[in-house]
Amino acid sequence: MASLNVYSTLVVLFLTCGAAMATKENDQIIKENHCETKMGLPCVLEAFTSIFEIGSISNKCCGKLVGLGKVCHSALVKRTLENPLFKDLTPATIIAKSIQTWNNCLALIDSPSPSA
């Protein structure tokens, strides 16, 4: 019985340390890449709505999102998911929406504009 308690304690400690390390890693990526200063609030809100709620992102903000870079985009989404306010969201769904938003914006930015 004592070994079960020790095992349970080690599992909890491992999971807690893993989550703390993930948070520190995302924070470090965000800080080193100046991720929080690369997009204005209106585009941040559009991107957030398209990923964490139901909404769309404008062409202008798609350009800003792609300019932000995939590393920053992923780190910011992951850090948001770590916030207790979003604990009821399904991470797999949010990650899928994040990838979809990124890919849609990348395709939009990479596609040639129609000639007039």
Side-chain angles (χ1 to χ4, degrees):
M1 187 65 154
S3 64
L4 180 61
N5 288 339
V6 170
Y7 178 73
S8 299
T9 302
L10 288 174
V11 168
V12 168
L13 183 61
F14 175 76
L15 292 174
T16 304
C17 288
M21 287 173 57
T23 299
K24 284 184 180 181
E25 182 179 314
N26 289 326
D27 285 344
Q28 184 175 356
I29 289 168
I30 291 164
K31 183 178 179 181
E32 288 175 359
N33 292 286
H34 308 285
C35 299
E36 293 179 317
T37 60
K38 291 184 176 181
M39 280 178 75
L41 185 59
C43 286
V44 168
L45 292 173
E46 278 189 33
F48 180 88
T49 302
S50 74
I51 296 167
F52 290 90
E53 297 174 4
I54 297 172
S56 60
I57 184 168
S58 67
N59 293 358
K60 175 186 169 192
C61 290
C62 267
K64 300 280 186 184
L65 181 65
V66 172
L68 177 70
K70 187 162 181 125
V71 169
C72 282
H73 172 69
S74 295
L76 289 165
V77 169
K78 288 175 185 174
R79 187 177 70 180
T80 303
L81 280 171
E82 293 165 355
N83 186 317
L85 292 172
F86 302 101
K87 69 180 192 275
D88 294 333
L89 298 177
T90 307
T93 302
I94 297 303
I95 297 296
K97 287 179 76 174
S98 168
I99 292 168
Q100 180 183 14
T101 298
W102 175 262
N103 288 340
N104 289 346
C105 285
L106 195 59
L108 181 70
I109 299 309
D110 284 344
S111 67
S113 58
S115 56

